[in-house]
Amino acid sequence: MSRGAFVRSFADKLAHWWHGPCGGRELLRVALPLVASSMSWTIMNFTDRMFLLWYDPACVAAALPAGMILWTVTALPLGVIMFTTTLVGQYEGAGNKSRIGAVLAQAYWSSVAVSPFILSLVPLADIVFRLSGHEPHLAALEATYLRIAALCGPAMLFSGAQSAFFTGRGETKRVMLVDITASFINVILDYLWIFGVLGFPRLGIAGAAWASVVAQWSKVALYTIQMLSPRYREYRLGDFLQLEPNLLKRLWTFGLPNGLQWLLENAAFTLFLLFVGQLGEKAAAATTLAINVNLVAFIPPLGMGMAVTALVAQHLGAGNPVLARRAALTGFELAAAYTAALALLYVLAPDIFLAFYRIGADPNSFSHLRPTVIVLLRFVAAYCVFDAMSVIFSAVLRGAGDTAFLLRVALWTAPFPGLATWLGIHGLGWGLLWAWTVLTLWAWILGVVFLIRYQQGGWEHLRVIEHATQPQAPAFSRSRPTVEVTHS
């Protein structure tokens, strides 16, 4: 083939990749608002931790473990609630829009039922951190943050259900606007309440927690205002009090494995952080900063993963697994390219990501942390592409309803980071580098396992809505038995 013919062939393939159904342009149309939403919360967390570092390095060391305990307790019900995205997407793809209001109603009832369990963290916060083995000063800060931040839990559930309505239908710009507005509220209140500016009390870590509470509940209010619009009448959103046992059962049948997966993986990561905290304040603070920098690589693929879940659900609901597969591949190509570029920057220019932390921080404290954080960012570079692989291909399985497999993977792999980290620290006397080696291996394992499951292709024939149409197997796939997952 001549050089000119090769260039034309490549240009044609690139144009098809970009303009074709579920190509780069369509995926980014759905994904970019979700990426912007996710990035707004990344910037919010980044700013939150930066302000806390400026206030007191011990506060930034306390915020991440406390926040992860809240997230771990919330993960199971939130995983159930967020499966609403798949139900909404498959009903939208099948053209059965009038059922979507009933789906949201079951998510709301579920949120009401589990909120008291999340709020039980308020009286239990001191006990949790007294048992953690952390230094008393650090444990007191962690308990303060958790007591207040627990009030975010119910708001996370309600806003999760509301965002699933928009995400599952592909109307992601509204999600972006809500998240950016709430993040802006959080950042402003962070500054006012952490440092006591403009006459506000100087609350330190408590101010950061209260800012998160106000921001989370503002999301619920903003979504509610939008959903009152007459344009959504055909979705019957006024049925939000309708309790429908069969649909509620379906939400929990497929959502519970999803929630248990989130719970197990977040519990594993929380244990990892607690064991790292036992290495001392420096190890905890360096890990917190590295994890926050890692969010720059992790959050955009997470937004792409949400878009992939919605597109896979819609195309499977419409009986078109070929386009569902194409959406998956396009999502992974974009996520892998992005994380690979950041991996290079983490190794070659790590100070780019630490510059904002340096501003306002105590020079001695920061110079003490910087070398350790730079080393940890090399671990992030080693696993961030595998993180993207895990996010995208698990999103494909979630959009199809293959949540039982996600749970099986979590049951087998979640014990690994906690047990291996504890054994290395307490049994063998190894330190922070061993803990991060374990974290890297865990990310590699998850990425490879979800890739293999995707390639096997059984997910293409799953449906979670009633009266699903029989999908057509793609021409390039080998024949597989159809698994029709339906409920009346």
Side-chain angles (χ1 to χ4, degrees):
M1 180 184 293
S2 67
R3 182 176 180 181
F6 174 79
V7 171
R8 285 192 299 273
S9 174
F10 178 77
D12 289 342
K13 291 179 180 178
L14 184 61
H16 177 69
W17 178 88
W18 178 252
H19 294 287
C22 289
R25 183 173 64 175
E26 181 180 348
L27 187 82
L28 288 176
R29 177 186 63 79
V30 179
L32 281 180
L34 294 173
V35 171
S37 297
S38 302
M39 285 302 295
S40 71
W41 286 94
T42 302
I43 293 169
M44 181 200 73
N45 281 303
F46 185 94
T47 307
D48 181 84
R49 303 300 187 257
M50 180 179 69
F51 287 161
L52 288 174
L53 180 67
W54 294 356
Y55 182 82
D56 181 357
C59 288
V60 76
L64 184 59
M68 283 306 303
I69 285 178
L70 172 61
W71 175 244
T72 299
V73 172
T74 311
L76 190 154
L78 187 59
V80 175
I81 300 303
M82 292 307 294
F83 190 74
T84 304
T85 302
T86 298
L87 286 166
V88 169
Q90 291 200 15
Y91 276 125
E92 180 82 10
N96 198 353
K97 298 180 180 181
S98 63
R99 295 288 292 150
I100 290 177
V103 171
L104 291 182
Q106 312 320 304
Y108 292 148
W109 280 112
S110 299
S111 300
V112 170
V114 301
S115 289
F117 296 98
I118 298 173
L119 295 176
S120 68
L121 286 173
V122 175
L124 294 176
D126 287 299
I127 297 173
V128 168
F129 286 106
R130 274 205 304 268
L131 298 175
S132 68
H134 292 183
E135 298 167 1
H137 175 60
L138 186 63
L141 291 172
E142 290 167 331
T144 297
Y145 189 91
L146 182 58
R147 267 197 308 271
I148 300 167
L151 301 176
C152 293
M156 292 166 65
L157 300 182
F158 285 108
S159 65
Q162 293 168 316
S163 69
F165 168 70
F166 294 105
T167 302
R169 296 169 42 256
E171 197 179 4
T172 53
K173 288 183 180 179
R174 292 182 179 270
V175 179
M176 175 187 71
L177 292 174
V178 168
D179 280 346
I180 289 176
T181 302
S183 298
F184 179 75
I185 291 171
N186 196 316
V187 169
I188 295 300
L189 294 180
D190 262 341
Y191 184 70
L192 295 176
W193 289 348
I194 291 174
F195 299 106
V197 179
L198 299 178
F200 287 91
R202 184 180 172 90
L203 299 176
I205 196 170
W210 280 116
S212 297
V213 171
V214 173
Q216 286 291 347
W217 281 103
S218 72
K219 289 177 65 176
V220 177
L222 291 168
Y223 277 128
T224 300
I225 291 169
Q226 294 186 77
M227 294 170 78
L228 292 173
S229 170
R231 65 182 294 183
Y232 299 120
R233 188 173 291 117
E234 64 181 320
Y235 295 97
R236 298 182 61 178
L237 300 183
D239 294 343
F240 65 91
L241 292 178
Q242 176 182 333
L243 183 60
E244 191 174 317
N246 285 337
L247 187 55
L248 180 65
K249 178 182 177 182
R250 193 181 315 145
L251 173 64
W252 279 82
T253 297
F254 294 101
L256 185 59
N258 189 54
L260 286 170
Q261 180 220 356
W262 287 19
L263 171 64
L264 290 169
E265 291 187 355
N266 282 283
F269 188 61
T270 301
L271 278 176
F272 166 82
L273 292 175
L274 291 174
F275 290 144
V276 167
Q278 293 174 357
L279 294 171
E281 187 176 306
K282 177 185 175 182
T287 293
T288 298
L289 292 186
I291 292 295
N292 281 333
V293 172
N294 178 44
L295 291 177
V296 178
F298 180 74
I299 293 297
L302 191 62
M304 290 184 188
M306 289 188 283
V308 167
T309 294
L311 289 173
V312 166
Q314 287 182 24
H315 289 300
L316 290 182
N320 196 334
V322 176
L323 288 183
R325 179 176 280 272
R326 181 145 196 247
L329 288 175
T330 303
F332 176 64
E333 288 161 357
L334 289 168
Y338 171 79
T339 50
L342 276 180
L344 287 175
L345 289 176
Y346 288 154
V347 173
L348 300 177
D351 283 311
I352 292 175
F353 303 96
L354 300 178
F356 288 100
Y357 288 111
R358 186 193 304 270
I359 302 171
D362 177 71
N364 290 331
S365 297
F366 185 82
S367 63
H368 191 53
L369 285 176
R370 178 184 170 275
T372 304
V373 176
I374 287 176
V375 171
L376 298 186
L377 287 180
R378 293 172 186 160
F379 285 95
V380 175
Y383 71 67
C384 63
V385 174
F386 287 87
D387 245 0
M389 186 185 300
S390 174
V391 166
I392 297 299
F393 293 121
S394 66
V396 174
L397 303 179
R398 193 169 291 112
D402 194 11
T403 53
F405 177 78
L406 299 179
L407 176 57
R408 288 199 298 273
V409 172
L411 288 169
W412 279 103
T413 61
F416 170 69
L419 290 175
T421 302
W422 179 86
L423 178 63
I425 292 174
H426 294 285
L428 301 172
W430 296 340
L432 186 62
L433 297 186
W434 165 251
W436 275 77
T437 300
V438 171
L439 188 65
T440 302
L441 290 174
W442 187 36
W444 289 357
I445 291 168
L446 290 176
V448 171
V449 168
F450 290 133
L451 172 63
I452 292 172
R453 182 67 169 187
Y454 164 80
Q455 290 179 327
Q456 289 174 343
W459 59 271
E460 296 174 5
H461 309 295
L462 296 174
R463 305 292 183 275
V464 297
I465 60 175
E466 69 273 18
H467 309 305
T469 57
Q470 182 77 6
Q472 302 229 342
F476 52 81
S477 70
R478 63 181 183 273
S479 176
R480 302 181 184 93
T482 298
V483 180
E484 197 74 19
V485 184
T486 61
H487 296 268
S488 58

